[in-house]
Amino acid sequence: MNWIRNKQQWRDYLLITLGTAVMAVATSSIYDPAGLVTGGFSGVGIVLEKLFGIPVFAVTFLLNVPLFFMARKFHTREYLFRSLYAMITFSLALAVIPVTSVTHQDYLMAAILGGAFHGGGLGLVFLAGSSTGGTDLLSTLLHPLFPMMRLANIIGIVDGIIVVAGMLVFGVRTALYSIVAVFVTSK
């Protein structure tokens, strides 16, 4: 019976690793070069990189660390450990994958391709019973403050604020394409 559990864990961690790598490709090769800010801590990272030169991987990692300490009350130890692994592998993948544009400023292609890659990678992480931290984890911490709101609505509001910040830095056009990317990611 123990070997079945170990086999399942290997499968889950493989899915998390593959999913976070695909998400990092979407961020480094599509979103970041095009200035598409689709929410999440990587979106905050893209904004801060443009404004202050702070690398996206560093922002993603540093914003997540305090959330994991605060989330200990709300999630199981196993879920937090898997999510911590996902956050670390995502941050490491962002650090090693070079920022190069594969869509060459074709914003519609960037929105569709980035959304498909990011959504597919996130789906693999969720399939493994994990999260990459970020606004998902932040929203679970905010939910007790707003119990009348659905968790999905809180996530949408937090990500919406990040998209608006991206709009202020990169302009309305990229923000509109960012919304297309968010839609594709959710599908």
Side-chain angles (χ1 to χ4, degrees), residues 7-174:
K7 186 176 177 182
Q8 180 67 34
Q9 285 179 334
W10 277 102
R11 178 194 155 274
D12 289 345
Y13 282 98
L14 181 62
L15 286 174
I16 292 168
T17 304
L18 181 60
T20 55
V22 170
M23 290 171 60
V25 166
T27 301
S28 294
S29 299
I30 300 168
Y31 291 155
D32 192 3
L36 295 179
V37 177
T38 60
F41 284 173
S42 58
V44 174
I46 291 170
V47 170
L48 293 179
E49 182 181 56
K50 174 73 172 178
L51 293 175
F52 305 110
I54 304 169
V56 175
F57 78 89
V59 172
T60 302
F61 181 80
L62 292 173
L63 288 177
N64 268 302
V65 170
L67 288 182
F68 277 93
F69 286 108
M70 291 185 278
R72 291 181 302 172
K73 296 182 221 175
F74 300 98
H75 297 287
T76 66
R77 186 174 170 184
E78 185 176 341
Y79 177 82
L80 282 175
F81 188 75
R82 285 174 190 233
S83 297
L84 183 63
Y85 175 79
M87 183 271 291
I88 291 170
T89 56
F90 182 54
S91 297
L92 284 174
L94 286 172
V96 298
I97 295 172
V99 176
T100 55
S101 178
V102 297
T103 58
H104 308 292
Q105 298 303 313
D106 182 344
Y107 288 103
L108 183 59
M109 179 62 71
I112 294 170
L113 191 60
F117 270 67
H118 198 264
L122 197 55
L124 292 174
V125 172
F126 288 162
L127 189 63
S130 184
S131 162
T132 57
T135 54
D136 298 344
L137 196 54
L138 176 61
S139 298
T140 62
L141 295 172
L142 291 174
H143 191 253
L145 299 173
F146 306 100
M148 64 293 212
M149 293 180 69
R150 291 181 43 227
L151 186 60
N153 291 345
I154 296 172
I155 293 170
I157 291 169
V158 172
D159 282 341
I161 291 168
I162 296 167
V163 170
V164 169
M167 180 186 71
L168 296 174
V169 172
F170 293 101
V172 174
R173 179 178 182 206
T174 56

